[in-house]
Amino acid sequence: MEKKARYIGAVRDGWQHTELIYEYRGYTYLVTKDNNGYMGESLRSQHAKEQKSIDERIEAKDKPTPEWTYEGSAQEGFDLFWKEICGE
């Protein structure tokens, strides 16, 4: 599978922003080009972040999802908190 992003198109969000649409390894992602002088995150770093996210998603796709356990979960933390508040 190709590891280079392919430009698909652009969508203007008024005069302030342009959303650039790319495809990378079978997934579509957006990067935002600011047209209003705002110096936010660079296009290069947005591309790198999105492509890294896609690479991680592809890697994790073949790994089994661990089974959920109550011990150590957020639900257990909430239950302990609730028992303290309610005095149960």
Side-chain angles (χ1 to χ4, degrees):
M1 193 170 279
E2 192 171 331
K3 282 200 158 203
K4 188 174 181 181
R6 182 175 66 88
Y7 175 75
I8 295 176
V11 177
R12 287 197 180 270
D13 180 14
W15 61 272
Q16 294 181 334
H17 309 285
T18 302
E19 300 291 339
L20 304 171
I21 306 165
Y22 287 87
E23 183 179 282
Y24 176 73
R25 299 183 72 186
Y27 291 85
T28 303
Y29 70 92
L30 303 174
V31 294
T32 303
K33 179 179 181 280
D34 297 306
N35 302 326
N36 60 359
Y38 176 70
M39 297 297 290
E41 192 175 2
S42 72
L43 292 176
R44 182 180 181 140
S45 65
Q46 289 181 61
H47 276 286
K49 184 171 73 173
E50 293 295 332
Q51 291 176 6
K52 180 181 178 192
S53 172
I54 290 169
D55 289 337
E56 290 171 352
R57 202 175 331 161
I58 289 171
E59 279 182 30
K61 188 167 44 171
D62 296 332
K63 294 180 182 173
T65 305
E67 193 166 319
W68 183 84
T69 60
Y70 178 76
E71 293 77 24
S73 69
Q75 184 64 49
E76 180 188 29
F78 177 78
D79 291 344
L80 290 171
F81 166 76
W82 194 253
K83 283 179 184 176
E84 277 295 315
I85 298 295
C86 296
E88 290 181 13

